[in-house]
Amino acid sequence: MRNKRYGVREDQRLARQRGAWANIPPKRNRKDPICFSRHLYRACNLIERFFNKIKQCRRVATRYEKLAANYLAFVKLASIRIWLRANESAP
């Protein structure tokens, strides 16, 4: 994920070559408008914050598990823990 302070044109070209769409907010002083979705940008932000929370779990961040299935299980456990913490009822 890139921010508007970086070169947008080069990133968009690279993404297009790989068959993707670069959703980078344009600078305010940009003269030629580019395609940008605020809704998609906000969704990407939520996903980034989720991964940052998951990395707080040491076993996930350092990837102790050698097998992908075991690693995925711990990612799921960390996700459940985050979900439970976010949805716990306050007494």
Side-chain angles (χ1 to χ4, degrees), residues 3-28:
N3 292 331
K4 56 177 123 180
R5 67 177 169 252
Y6 296 107
V8 175
R9 192 165 290 153
E10 301 84 32
D11 293 336
Q12 286 180 330
R13 183 182 51 76
L14 182 63
R16 233 179 279 121
Q17 286 175 351
R18 294 183 178 183
W21 179 53
N23 192 40
I24 304 167
K27 287 186 175 180
R28 292 187 188 269

Side-chain angles (χ1 to χ4, degrees), residues 10 12 14 21-22 33 36 38 49 56 64-67 85:
E10 301 84 32
Q12 286 180 330
L14 182 63
W21 179 53
F36 171 70
R38 290 187 189 280
R49 285 190 282 163
Q56 298 302 313
Y64 285 139
E65 304 302 322
K66 292 182 180 180
L67 296 177
R85 196 178 287 168

Side-chain angles (χ1 to χ4, degrees), residues 47-64:
I47 292 167
E48 278 191 6
R49 285 190 282 163
F50 171 73
F51 277 107
N52 285 335
K53 286 179 183 178
I54 260 188
K55 288 179 184 176
Q56 298 302 313
C57 185
R58 185 174 166 203
R59 192 167 193 144
V60 173
T62 56
R63 190 163 180 162
Y64 285 139

Side-chain angles (χ1 to χ4, degrees), residues 59-91:
R59 192 167 193 144
V60 173
T62 56
R63 190 163 180 162
Y64 285 139
E65 304 302 322
K66 292 182 180 180
L67 296 177
N70 292 347
Y71 181 71
L72 180 60
F74 278 103
V75 168
K76 288 178 181 179
L77 284 173
S79 301
I80 291 169
R81 184 174 174 236
I82 290 168
W83 182 81
L84 286 173
R85 196 178 287 168
N87 294 318
E88 67 184 355
S89 59

